[in-house]
Amino acid sequence: MRLDYLTIFPDYLAPLRLSLPGKAIESGLLDLQVHDLREWAHDRHRTVDDTPYGGGAGMVMKPQPFGEAFDELAIDGATVIVTTPSGEPFTQALARELSTRDRLVFLLGRYEGIDQRVLDHAATRAEVREISLGDYVLNGGEVAAMAITEAVVRLLPGFMGNAKSLLEESHEDGLLEYPVYTKPASWRDLEVPKVLLSGDHKRIAQWRHEQAVVRTSVRRPDLLHASQATGLGEGEKWE
Ligand SMILES: Nc1cc(-c2ccc3ccn(Cc4ccc(CN5CCCCC5)cc4)c3c2)n[nH]1
């Protein structure tokens, strides 16, 4: 998978080269390209923003630099991701969908956002997805892009050491995670639930499912479907 990022803060994306995505880059499974949008701003001050038509506070990102970057990067046929508070919510299901793409091109806005015509033009040559990380306003798109990148890259075949853990984790089966424990069995008078020491894998699986259902019903009742509150879900999906 190739990942391109168009940003006025390229250093912000530097941590992407660490840990999981870092290993994938060395192995050639992931091609990460961070681009400074100002490369395509040709005036003396390399201006990327201007005042909003119709008035209003702040500045808006100009279309020309994005358009020239699209031409040079040949984004045709790619999936363009624009992070924005007004986008579709980012979910595990959307992460799975994006992990099937060959190339993701992230447009990372700052100021009050990007001229709408950038998205309208991109849609004539690529798939455009406007994605929100959550219902809160960040200062720009970079943090959201890093979160989306991590959630997508870890789903790619061969990136996660233990593929099995991907299936069991939160939101894959529509439930939150059960509690986990490790040695010692007793710690500051706190004991590991005895069932986990029993070696009875059927009972352990049942206990873990029950814990996940309880947690989900308390913290995220919106995720809970009746189908999952009963016995072991046979991988029923909630979306
Ligand atoms: N999930 C999530 C993603 C983002 C995100 C992503 C990308 C950018 C680019 C700029 N910002 C900052 C920003 C965005 C919106 C406003 C409101 N403003 C009202 C008047 C009309 C224009 C818009 C203000 C400042 C961004 C914020 N925040 N949260």
Side-chain angles (χ1 to χ4, degrees), residues 58-124:
M59 305 290 273
V60 171
M61 299 185 83
K62 296 161 58 73
Q64 295 97 323
F66 284 101
E68 290 194 25
F70 291 173
D71 296 342
E72 186 170 329
L73 298 177
I75 63 155
D76 307 77
T79 294
V80 170
I81 296 176
V82 186
T83 53
T84 167
S86 58
E88 63 182 296
F90 186 59
T91 63
Q92 189 66 13
L94 182 47
R96 269 202 305 278
E97 182 186 349
L98 295 175
S99 71
T100 66
R101 302 297 194 267
D102 295 330
R103 185 182 182 192
L104 303 179
V105 179
F106 288 86
L107 310 189
L108 306 183
R110 281 272 154 171
Y111 308 101
E112 296 290 315
I114 301 170
D115 186 301
Q116 180 60 39
R117 290 169 294 178
V118 172
L119 283 59
D120 297 344
H121 168 70
T124 68

Coordinates of all heavy atoms in Angstrom, one line a residue, residues 58-124:
G58 N -11.0 33.6 10.3 CA -9.9 32.7 9.9 C -9.6 32.8 8.4 O -10.1 33.7 7.7
M59 N -8.8 31.8 8.0 CA -8.4 31.7 6.6 C -8.8 30.3 6.0 O -9.0 29.4 6.8 CB -6.9 31.9 6.5 CG -6.3 33.1 7.1 SD -6.8 34.6 6.2 CE -5.4 34.6 5.0
V60 N -8.8 30.3 4.7 CA -9.1 29.0 4.0 C -8.0 28.6 3.1 O -7.3 29.5 2.5 CB -10.4 29.2 3.2 CG1 -10.7 28.0 2.3 CG2 -11.6 29.5 4.1
M61 N -7.7 27.3 3.0 CA -6.6 26.9 2.1 C -6.9 27.0 0.7 O -8.0 26.5 0.2 CB -6.2 25.4 2.5 CG -5.7 25.3 4.0 SD -5.1 23.7 4.4 CE -3.4 23.8 3.8
K62 N -6.0 27.6 -0.1 CA -6.2 27.9 -1.5 C -6.2 26.6 -2.3 O -5.6 25.6 -2.0 CB -5.1 28.7 -2.0 CG -5.0 30.1 -1.4 CD -3.6 30.8 -1.5 CE -3.2 30.9 -3.0 NZ -3.9 32.0 -3.7
P63 N -7.0 26.6 -3.4 CA -7.1 25.4 -4.3 C -5.8 25.1 -5.1 O -5.4 23.9 -5.3 CB -8.3 25.6 -5.2 CG -8.5 27.1 -5.2 CD -8.0 27.6 -3.9
Q64 N -5.2 26.2 -5.6 CA -4.1 25.9 -6.6 C -3.0 25.0 -6.1 O -2.6 24.1 -6.9 CB -3.4 27.3 -7.0 CG -4.4 28.2 -7.8 CD -5.0 29.2 -6.8 OE1 -5.3 28.9 -5.7 NE2 -5.1 30.5 -7.3
P65 N -2.4 25.2 -4.9 CA -1.4 24.2 -4.5 C -1.8 22.8 -4.5 O -1.1 21.9 -5.0 CB -1.0 24.7 -3.1 CG -1.4 26.1 -3.1 CD -2.6 26.2 -3.9
F66 N -3.0 22.5 -4.1 CA -3.5 21.1 -4.1 C -3.7 20.6 -5.5 O -3.3 19.5 -5.8 CB -4.9 21.0 -3.4 CG -4.8 21.1 -1.9 CD1 -5.1 22.3 -1.2 CD2 -4.5 20.0 -1.1 CE1 -5.1 22.3 0.2 CE2 -4.4 20.0 0.3 CZ -4.7 21.2 0.9
G67 N -4.2 21.5 -6.4 CA -4.4 21.0 -7.8 C -3.1 20.7 -8.4 O -3.0 19.6 -9.1
E68 N -2.1 21.5 -8.2 CA -0.7 21.2 -8.8 C -0.1 19.9 -8.2 O 0.5 19.1 -8.9 CB 0.2 22.4 -8.7 CG -0.2 23.6 -9.5 CD 0.9 24.6 -9.6 OE1 2.0 24.3 -9.4 OE2 0.5 25.8 -9.8
A69 N -0.4 19.7 -6.9 CA 0.2 18.5 -6.3 C -0.5 17.3 -6.8 O 0.1 16.3 -7.1 CB -0.1 18.6 -4.8
F70 N -1.8 17.4 -7.0 CA -2.6 16.3 -7.6 C -2.0 15.9 -9.0 O -1.8 14.7 -9.3 CB -4.1 16.6 -7.8 CG -4.9 16.8 -6.6 CD1 -6.2 17.3 -6.6 CD2 -4.3 16.5 -5.3 CE1 -6.9 17.4 -5.5 CE2 -5.1 16.7 -4.2 CZ -6.4 17.1 -4.3
D71 N -1.7 16.9 -9.8 CA -1.2 16.6 -11.1 C 0.2 15.9 -11.0 O 0.5 14.9 -11.6 CB -1.1 17.9 -11.9 CG -2.4 18.5 -12.2 OD1 -3.4 17.8 -12.0 OD2 -2.5 19.7 -12.4
E72 N 1.1 16.5 -10.2 CA 2.4 15.9 -10.1 C 2.4 14.5 -9.4 O 3.2 13.7 -9.9 CB 3.3 16.9 -9.3 CG 4.8 16.4 -9.3 CD 5.7 17.4 -8.7 OE1 5.5 18.7 -8.8 OE2 6.7 17.0 -8.1
L73 N 1.5 14.3 -8.4 CA 1.5 13.0 -7.7 C 0.6 12.0 -8.5 O 0.6 10.9 -8.1 CB 1.0 13.2 -6.3 CG 1.8 14.1 -5.4 CD1 1.2 14.3 -4.0 CD2 3.2 13.6 -5.3
A74 N 0.0 12.5 -9.5 CA -0.9 11.6 -10.3 C -1.8 10.8 -9.4 O -1.7 9.6 -9.3 CB 0.0 10.7 -11.2
I75 N -2.8 11.5 -8.8 CA -3.6 10.8 -7.8 C -4.7 10.0 -8.4 O -5.5 9.4 -7.7 CB -4.2 11.9 -6.8 CG1 -5.2 12.8 -7.6 CG2 -3.2 12.6 -6.1 CD1 -6.2 13.4 -6.8
D76 N -4.8 10.0 -9.7 CA -5.9 9.4 -10.4 C -6.1 7.9 -10.0 O -5.1 7.2 -10.0 CB -5.8 9.5 -12.0 CG -5.5 11.0 -12.3 OD1 -4.4 11.5 -12.1 OD2 -6.5 11.6 -12.7
G77 N -7.3 7.6 -9.6 CA -7.6 6.2 -9.2 C -7.3 5.9 -7.8 O -7.7 4.8 -7.3
A78 N -6.7 6.8 -7.1 CA -6.4 6.6 -5.7 C -7.6 6.9 -4.8 O -8.7 7.3 -5.3 CB -5.2 7.5 -5.2
T79 N -7.5 6.6 -3.5 CA -8.6 7.0 -2.6 C -8.0 8.2 -1.8 O -7.0 8.1 -1.1 CB -8.9 5.8 -1.6 OG1 -9.4 4.8 -2.4 CG2 -9.9 6.3 -0.5
V80 N -8.7 9.3 -2.0 CA -8.3 10.6 -1.3 C -9.1 10.7 0.0 O -10.3 10.6 0.0 CB -8.6 11.8 -2.2 CG1 -8.4 13.1 -1.5 CG2 -7.7 11.7 -3.5
I81 N -8.3 10.8 1.1 CA -8.9 11.0 2.4 C -8.7 12.4 2.9 O -7.6 12.9 3.0 CB -8.3 10.0 3.4 CG1 -8.6 8.5 3.0 CG2 -8.9 10.2 4.8 CD1 -8.0 7.5 3.8
V82 N -9.9 13.1 3.2 CA -9.8 14.4 3.7 C -10.3 14.3 5.2 O -11.4 13.9 5.4 CB -10.7 15.4 3.0 CG1 -10.5 16.8 3.5 CG2 -10.4 15.3 1.5
T83 N -9.4 14.6 6.1 CA -9.9 14.6 7.5 C -10.6 15.9 7.8 O -10.1 17.0 7.4 CB -8.7 14.3 8.5 OG1 -7.7 15.3 8.2 CG2 -8.2 12.9 8.3
T84 N -11.7 15.8 8.5 CA -12.6 17.0 8.8 C -13.6 16.7 9.8 O -14.0 15.6 9.9 CB -13.3 17.5 7.5 OG1 -14.3 18.4 7.8 CG2 -14.0 16.3 6.8
P85 N -13.9 17.7 10.7 CA -14.9 17.5 11.7 C -16.3 17.2 11.1 O -17.2 16.6 11.7 CB -15.0 18.8 12.5 CG -13.9 19.6 12.0 CD -13.4 19.1 10.7
S86 N -16.5 17.5 9.8 CA -17.8 17.3 9.2 C -17.8 16.0 8.3 O -18.7 15.9 7.4 CB -18.1 18.5 8.3 OG -17.1 18.7 7.3
G87 N -16.9 15.1 8.6 CA -16.9 13.9 7.8 C -17.6 12.8 8.3 O -18.2 12.8 9.4
E88 N -17.6 11.6 7.6 CA -18.2 10.4 8.1 C -17.4 9.9 9.3 O -16.2 10.0 9.2 CB -18.3 9.3 7.0 CG -17.0 8.9 6.4 CD -17.1 7.9 5.3 OE1 -17.7 6.8 5.5 OE2 -16.7 8.2 4.2
P89 N -18.1 9.3 10.3 CA -17.3 8.9 11.5 C -16.3 7.8 11.1 O -16.7 6.8 10.4 CB -18.4 8.3 12.4 CG -19.7 8.8 11.9 CD -19.5 9.1 10.4
F90 N -15.1 7.8 11.6 CA -14.1 6.8 11.4 C -14.4 5.6 12.4 O -14.5 5.8 13.6 CB -12.7 7.3 11.7 CG -11.6 6.3 11.3 CD1 -11.5 5.8 10.0 CD2 -10.8 5.8 12.3 CE1 -10.6 4.9 9.7 CE2 -9.8 4.9 12.0 CZ -9.7 4.4 10.7
T91 N -14.6 4.4 11.8 CA -14.9 3.3 12.6 C -14.0 2.1 12.2 O -13.3 2.2 11.2 CB -16.4 2.8 12.4 OG1 -16.5 2.4 11.0 CG2 -17.4 3.9 12.7
Q92 N -14.0 1.0 13.0 CA -13.2 -0.2 12.6 C -13.7 -0.7 11.3 O -12.9 -1.1 10.5 CB -13.4 -1.2 13.7 CG -12.5 -2.4 13.5 CD -11.0 -2.1 13.8 OE1 -10.6 -1.0 14.2 NE2 -10.1 -2.9 13.3
A93 N -15.0 -0.6 11.0 CA -15.5 -1.1 9.7 C -14.9 -0.2 8.6 O -14.5 -0.8 7.5 CB -17.0 -1.0 9.7
L94 N -14.8 1.1 8.8 CA -14.2 2.0 7.7 C -12.7 1.7 7.6 O -12.2 1.7 6.5 CB -14.5 3.4 8.1 CG -14.0 4.5 7.1 CD1 -14.4 4.1 5.6 CD2 -14.5 5.9 7.4
A95 N -12.1 1.4 8.7 CA -10.6 1.0 8.7 C -10.4 -0.2 7.8 O -9.6 -0.3 6.9 CB -10.1 0.8 10.1
R96 N -11.3 -1.2 8.0 CA -11.2 -2.4 7.2 C -11.5 -2.1 5.7 O -10.7 -2.6 4.9 CB -12.3 -3.4 7.7 CG -11.8 -4.4 8.8 CD -12.6 -5.7 8.9 NE -14.0 -5.4 9.0 CZ -14.6 -5.1 10.2 NH1 -13.9 -5.0 11.3 NH2 -15.9 -4.8 10.3
E97 N -12.4 -1.3 5.5 CA -12.7 -0.9 4.1 C -11.5 -0.3 3.4 O -11.1 -0.6 2.3 CB -13.9 0.0 4.0 CG -14.3 0.3 2.6 CD -15.4 1.4 2.5 OE1 -16.1 1.7 3.5 OE2 -15.7 1.9 1.4
L98 N -10.9 0.7 4.1 CA -9.8 1.4 3.6 C -8.5 0.5 3.4 O -7.7 0.8 2.6 CB -9.4 2.7 4.5 CG -10.5 3.7 4.5 CD1 -10.1 4.8 5.5 CD2 -10.8 4.3 3.1
S99 N -8.4 -0.5 4.2 CA -7.3 -1.4 4.2 C -7.2 -2.2 2.9 O -6.2 -2.8 2.6 CB -7.2 -2.3 5.4 OG -8.3 -3.3 5.3
T100 N -8.4 -2.2 2.2 CA -8.4 -2.9 0.9 C -7.9 -2.1 -0.3 O -7.7 -2.6 -1.4 CB -9.8 -3.3 0.5 OG1 -10.6 -2.1 0.3 CG2 -10.5 -4.1 1.7
R101 N -7.6 -0.8 -0.1 CA -7.2 0.1 -1.2 C -5.7 0.0 -1.5 O -4.9 -0.4 -0.6 CB -7.5 1.5 -0.8 CG -8.9 1.8 -0.5 CD -9.8 1.5 -1.7 NE -11.2 2.1 -1.5 CZ -12.2 1.4 -1.0 NH1 -12.0 0.1 -0.6 NH2 -13.4 1.9 -0.9
D102 N -5.3 0.2 -2.7 CA -3.9 0.2 -3.1 C -3.1 1.5 -2.7 O -1.9 1.5 -2.4 CB -3.8 0.0 -4.6 CG -4.3 -1.3 -5.1 OD1 -4.2 -2.3 -4.3 OD2 -4.9 -1.4 -6.2
R103 N -3.9 2.6 -2.7 CA -3.2 3.9 -2.4 C -4.2 4.8 -1.7 O -5.3 5.1 -2.2 CB -2.7 4.5 -3.8 CG -1.9 5.8 -3.6 CD -1.5 6.4 -4.9 NE -0.7 7.6 -4.7 CZ -0.4 8.5 -5.7 NH1 -0.8 8.2 -6.9 NH2 0.3 9.5 -5.4
L104 N -3.7 5.4 -0.6 CA -4.5 6.4 0.1 C -3.7 7.7 0.0 O -2.5 7.8 0.3 CB -4.7 6.0 1.6 CG -5.3 4.7 1.8 CD1 -5.4 4.4 3.4 CD2 -6.7 4.6 1.2
V105 N -4.4 8.8 -0.4 CA -3.8 10.2 -0.4 C -4.5 11.0 0.6 O -5.7 11.3 0.4 CB -3.9 10.8 -1.8 CG1 -3.3 12.2 -1.9 CG2 -3.3 9.9 -2.9
F106 N -3.8 11.4 1.6 CA -4.4 12.2 2.7 C -4.2 13.7 2.4 O -3.1 14.2 2.2 CB -3.7 11.9 4.0 CG -4.1 10.5 4.6 CD1 -3.4 9.4 4.2 CD2 -5.1 10.4 5.5 CE1 -3.7 8.1 4.7 CE2 -5.4 9.1 6.1 CZ -4.7 8.0 5.7
L107 N -5.3 14.4 2.4 CA -5.3 15.9 2.3 C -5.4 16.5 3.7 O -6.5 16.3 4.3 CB -6.4 16.5 1.4 CG -6.5 15.8 0.0 CD1 -7.5 16.6 -0.8 CD2 -5.2 15.6 -0.7
L108 N -4.4 17.1 4.3 CA -4.4 17.5 5.7 C -4.6 19.0 5.8 O -3.7 19.8 5.5 CB -3.2 17.0 6.4 CG -2.9 15.5 6.2 CD1 -1.7 15.1 6.9 CD2 -4.2 14.8 6.6
G109 N -5.8 19.5 6.2 CA -6.1 20.9 6.2 C -5.6 21.5 7.5 O -5.3 20.8 8.5
R110 N -5.5 22.8 7.4 CA -5.3 23.6 8.6 C -6.2 24.9 8.5 O -7.1 24.8 7.7 CB -3.8 24.1 8.7 CG -2.9 23.0 9.2 CD -2.8 23.0 10.7 NE -2.5 21.7 11.3 CZ -2.2 21.5 12.6 NH1 -2.1 22.6 13.4 NH2 -1.9 20.3 13.1
Y111 N -6.0 25.9 9.3 CA -6.8 27.1 9.3 C -8.3 26.7 9.5 O -8.6 25.9 10.4 CB -6.6 27.8 7.9 CG -5.1 28.1 7.6 CD1 -4.5 27.3 6.7 CD2 -4.4 29.1 8.2 CE1 -3.1 27.5 6.4 CE2 -3.1 29.4 8.0 CZ -2.5 28.6 7.0 OH -1.1 28.8 6.8
E112 N -9.2 27.1 8.6 CA -10.6 26.8 8.7 C -11.0 25.7 7.8 O -12.2 25.4 7.6 CB -11.4 28.1 8.5 CG -11.2 29.2 9.5 CD -11.8 28.8 10.8 OE1 -13.0 28.3 10.9 OE2 -11.2 29.1 11.8
G113 N -10.0 25.1 7.1 CA -10.3 24.1 6.2 C -9.8 24.4 4.8 O -9.1 25.3 4.5
I114 N -10.2 23.5 3.8 CA -9.7 23.5 2.4 C -10.9 24.0 1.5 O -12.0 23.6 1.7 CB -9.3 22.1 2.0 CG1 -8.2 21.6 2.9 CG2 -8.8 22.0 0.6 CD1 -7.8 20.1 2.7
D115 N -10.5 24.8 0.5 CA -11.5 25.3 -0.5 C -12.3 24.0 -1.0 O -11.7 23.1 -1.5 CB -10.8 26.0 -1.6 CG -11.7 26.6 -2.6 OD1 -12.5 25.9 -3.2 OD2 -11.6 27.8 -2.8
Q116 N -13.6 24.1 -1.0 CA -14.4 23.0 -1.4 C -14.1 22.4 -2.8 O -14.2 21.2 -3.1 CB -15.9 23.3 -1.3 CG -16.9 22.2 -1.6 CD -16.7 21.0 -0.7 OE1 -16.5 21.1 0.5 NE2 -16.8 19.8 -1.3
R117 N -13.7 23.3 -3.6 CA -13.4 22.9 -5.1 C -12.3 21.9 -5.2 O -12.2 21.2 -6.1 CB -13.1 24.2 -5.9 CG -14.4 25.1 -6.1 CD -14.0 26.4 -6.7 NE -13.1 27.2 -5.7 CZ -12.7 28.4 -6.0 NH1 -12.9 29.0 -7.2 NH2 -11.9 29.0 -5.2
V118 N -11.4 21.9 -4.2 CA -10.3 20.9 -4.2 C -10.9 19.5 -4.1 O -10.5 18.6 -4.8 CB -9.4 21.2 -3.0 CG1 -8.3 20.0 -2.8 CG2 -8.7 22.5 -3.1
L119 N -11.9 19.4 -3.2 CA -12.6 18.1 -3.0 C -13.4 17.7 -4.3 O -13.4 16.6 -4.7 CB -13.5 18.1 -1.8 CG -12.7 17.9 -0.4 CD1 -11.7 19.0 -0.2 CD2 -13.7 17.9 0.7
D120 N -14.1 18.8 -4.8 CA -15.0 18.5 -5.9 C -14.1 18.1 -7.1 O -14.5 17.2 -7.9 CB -15.8 19.8 -6.3 CG -16.7 20.2 -5.1 OD1 -17.0 19.4 -4.2 OD2 -17.2 21.4 -5.1
H121 N -13.0 18.8 -7.3 CA -12.1 18.4 -8.4 C -11.5 17.0 -8.2 O -11.5 16.2 -9.1 CB -11.0 19.4 -8.6 CG -9.9 18.9 -9.5 ND1 -10.1 18.8 -10.9 CD2 -8.6 18.5 -9.3 CE1 -9.0 18.3 -11.4 NE2 -8.1 18.1 -10.5
A122 N -11.1 16.7 -7.0 CA -10.5 15.4 -6.7 C -11.5 14.3 -7.0 O -11.1 13.2 -7.5 CB -10.0 15.3 -5.3
A123 N -12.8 14.6 -6.8 CA -13.8 13.5 -7.0 C -14.0 13.2 -8.5 O -14.6 12.2 -8.8 CB -15.1 14.0 -6.4
T124 N -13.4 14.1 -9.4 CA -13.6 13.7 -10.8 C -12.4 12.8 -11.2 O -12.5 12.2 -12.3 CB -13.4 15.0 -11.7 OG1 -12.1 15.5 -11.5 CG2 -14.4 16.1 -11.2

